[in-house]
Amino acid sequence: MTVQASARAVTARSAIMRAAERLYATEGFAGVSIRQIGEAAGQRNKSAVQYHFTSRDELVKAILAEHAEAMEVHRLAMMSRLGEPGAMSPRDRIRCVVLPHIEHHIDLGVPSWYGRFLAQVVVEPALREYAVSVHLERPSLRRLYDATREPGEPDPGRTARREAMTRVLIVHMCAELERDLAAGDTTAVGRDLAAGDATAASAATAWRRLGDDLVTAVCGLLGALRSDPR
Amino acid sequence: MTVQASARAVTARSAIMRAAERLYATEGFAGVSIRQIGEAAGQRNKSAVQYHFTSRDELVKAILAEHAEAMEVHRLAMMSRLGEPGAMSPRDRIRCVVLPHIEHHIDLGVPSWYGRFLAQVVVEPALREYAVSVHLERPSLRRLYDATREPGEPDPGRTARREAMTRVLIVHMCAELERDLAAGDTTAVGRDLAAGDATAASAATAWRRLGDDLVTAVCGLLGALRSDPR
């Protein structure tokens, strides 16, 4: 491939990924064909999506990988500031789990599509296992979760459940705020955001507030489950 | 319609609804056509699903309505035992929110499909608003949530967020346990369930344990958000 052809391929791949996440976020997997994605991405060749990605699932995995990389940059930066997971406060560990999602959404701007896209991927039977294992269980995340496990905790079922609850809250609450912001709905983002005032700054405020609420909620949830005598 | 024809229509509708929730749960909305649902339900007429339900969305709404009714029976029975929501303990109110989902899943047996079906419905753009407003915001549920709101709480955004977090945890954690039970995966249901031992009794135990964990988690989460100075 020449340098120009290679650059064109990168541009086409990127246009297809952006069109796919936007269309899937707003129309659902069942409402969008591979051909519609190619058209929305400005590809004249009807087989462009198959050419660049082979299948819907490979396209989805490429989108997930790109976002996971971007989020990982935020997480590793936070972790290098805060030190080893074992030496962090429980709240700081949860911050490192939750806030990279928030910072990534702030980077994406308004409207974004990734939150609603991810919420659909994690319940899609053909994709959820990939999404959970590769995207949401990065090594950095595993170190954080492992550090929250206490020595006398033998029940693997309950450990898995706590992590699943944390993941479910992050993924689906981010999707809900993204939807509200895209729709210009400000009731769910807090009373100090006046209607129509979804500027980048107030969107960032709404995201950070969600991040704080998620950190507080997850800490409360984990503490309650831990002290439950069961 | 004669009595016999009417009985046949009820049987056909029911067969279509059961086939639809099973196929959607395992293959996703994008993986299943209306015609496949008719075939799986044993309908010879290729237009049977359209005839009985007009569209996919109406079919989905009929399935949701049926389950919502069954769950409401459990909730109203619990509430009549426990008295007015305002007089209940906070934990009992959360029990009345969470446990009807658990009892309904126990009634459905193993394997069931409704949990994974609902998890997909609530993130499907064309269906989620209907699912959230009609299915998950029944009057009984509203009375329970309203009773948890404290007098000096003016922030409607935060109230909506707490309810969304509760809903997200219930819907998606029930879908995860349903998936594990259907797959015979016992690691996530607790260490005292031996592999292959997913009998009705041990499934009921796993569901009740999830119910207890959800009640504890939601109480912890709500308490933490309430005492957060923000």
Side-chain angles (χ1 to χ4, degrees):
Chain A
M1 218 187 263
T2 65
V3 172
Q4 291 88 337
S6 164
R8 274 200 302 275
V10 168
T11 306
R13 277 179 64 93
S14 175
I16 291 167
M17 288 161 75
R18 294 292 78 73
E21 64 179 17
R22 174 172 59 80
L23 288 171
Y24 286 142
T26 52
E27 312 290 333
F29 285 118
V32 183
S33 68
I34 286 289
R35 182 173 293 191
Q36 282 173 295
I37 292 169
E39 284 173 12
Q43 301 297 304
R44 289 192 199 160
N45 185 327
K46 289 193 198 313
S47 309
V49 176
Q50 285 91 333
Y51 173 77
H52 288 287
F53 295 95
T54 72
S55 70
R56 180 201 75 165
D57 288 3
E58 294 308 312
L59 167 59
V60 168
K61 290 176 185 179
I63 298 169
L64 289 178
E66 196 189 56
H67 289 284
E69 286 306 323
M71 235 177 315
E72 193 67 358
V73 172
H74 285 295
R75 180 167 292 124
L76 293 176
M78 282 191 73
M79 289 172 73
S80 77
R81 274 201 308 279
L82 291 165
E84 276 304 300
M88 291 180 198
S89 71
R91 195 174 180 93
D92 276 345
R93 279 196 294 262
I94 299 304
R95 279 200 185 95
C96 290
V97 171
V98 170
L99 299 184
H101 290 260
I102 299 296
E103 293 304 319
H104 182 53
H105 270 287
I106 293 170
D107 292 345
L108 292 173
V110 176
S112 63
W113 319 101
Y114 168 64
R116 288 165 283 174
F117 169 80
L118 180 61
Q120 291 179 68
V121 171
V122 295
V123 300
E124 168 73 17
L127 294 164
R128 80 168 286 284
E129 200 167 349
Y130 176 87
V132 170
S133 71
V134 175
H135 185 62
L136 299 166
E137 295 190 352
R138 315 278 296 188
S140 59
L141 209 46
R142 180 90 337 263
R143 283 170 57 217
L144 289 162
Y145 279 133
D146 286 349
T148 68
R149 198 177 306 172
E150 289 183 356
E153 245 181 348
D155 185 340
R158 215 168 191 195
T159 307
R161 175 157 293 159
R162 285 201 307 250
E163 294 177 17
M165 285 183 174
T166 304
R167 167 169 49 77
V168 148
L169 278 176
I170 295 170
V171 170
H172 295 285
M173 294 306 295
C174 283
E176 301 232 340
L177 178 56
E178 182 186 85
R179 188 182 298 112
D180 291 341
L181 287 171
D185 176 358
T186 53
T187 51
V189 301
R191 65 200 148 131
D192 56 346
L193 283 182
D197 186 27
T199 61
S202 64
T205 303
W207 280 111
R208 296 224 162 85
R209 178 161 300 166
L210 172 62
D212 290 344
D213 280 354
L214 279 171
V215 168
T216 298
V218 169
C219 288
L221 172 164
L222 297 180
L225 286 173
R226 184 159 285 136
S227 60
D228 187 26
R230 167 160 128 185
Chain B
M1 221 186 258
T2 64
V3 172
Q4 290 89 337
S6 164
R8 275 199 302 276
V10 169
T11 307
R13 276 178 65 92
S14 175
I16 291 167
M17 288 160 75
R18 294 294 76 75
E21 65 179 18
R22 174 171 59 82
L23 289 171
Y24 285 143
T26 52
E27 312 292 333
F29 285 118
V32 182
S33 68
I34 286 290
R35 180 172 294 189
Q36 282 173 295
I37 291 169
E39 284 172 13
Q43 301 297 304
R44 288 192 199 159
N45 186 327
K46 290 193 198 310
S47 308
V49 176
Q50 286 90 336
Y51 173 76
H52 288 287
F53 294 96
T54 71
S55 70
R56 180 200 75 165
D57 288 2
E58 293 308 313
L59 167 58
V60 168
K61 290 177 186 180
I63 297 169
L64 289 178
E66 197 188 54
H67 289 284
E69 287 305 325
M71 235 179 311
E72 193 67 358
V73 172
H74 285 295
R75 180 168 293 123
L76 293 177
M78 284 190 72
M79 289 173 73
S80 77
R81 274 200 306 279
L82 291 164
E84 275 305 299
M88 290 180 199
S89 72
R91 195 174 180 93
D92 276 344
R93 278 196 295 263
I94 299 305
R95 281 201 184 95
C96 290
V97 171
V98 171
L99 299 185
H101 290 261
I102 299 296
E103 294 302 318
H104 183 53
H105 270 287
I106 293 171
D107 293 345
L108 292 173
V110 177
S112 64
W113 320 101
Y114 169 63
R116 289 166 282 174
F117 169 80
L118 181 61
Q120 291 179 67
V121 170
V122 296
V123 300
E124 168 73 18
L127 294 164
R128 79 168 286 283
E129 200 166 349
Y130 176 86
V132 170
S133 70
V134 175
H135 185 64
L136 299 166
E137 296 190 352
R138 315 276 299 187
S140 59
L141 209 46
R142 182 85 346 261
R143 283 170 56 217
L144 289 163
Y145 279 134
D146 285 349
T148 68
R149 199 176 304 170
E150 288 183 357
E153 245 181 349
D155 185 341
R158 214 167 192 198
T159 307
R161 174 157 294 161
R162 285 202 308 247
E163 295 177 15
M165 286 183 173
T166 304
R167 167 169 49 76
V168 148
L169 278 176
I170 296 171
V171 169
H172 296 286
M173 293 306 294
C174 284
E176 301 233 339
L177 178 55
E178 183 186 83
R179 188 183 299 113
D180 291 341
L181 287 172
D185 176 359
T186 54
T187 51
V189 302
R191 66 199 148 130
D192 56 347
L193 283 181
D197 185 26
T199 60
S202 64
T205 303
W207 280 111
R208 294 224 164 84
R209 179 161 298 166
L210 172 62
D212 289 344
D213 281 354
L214 279 171
V215 169
T216 298
V218 170
C219 287
L221 172 165
L222 297 180
L225 285 172
R226 185 161 284 135
S227 59
D228 186 29
R230 169 159 128 181

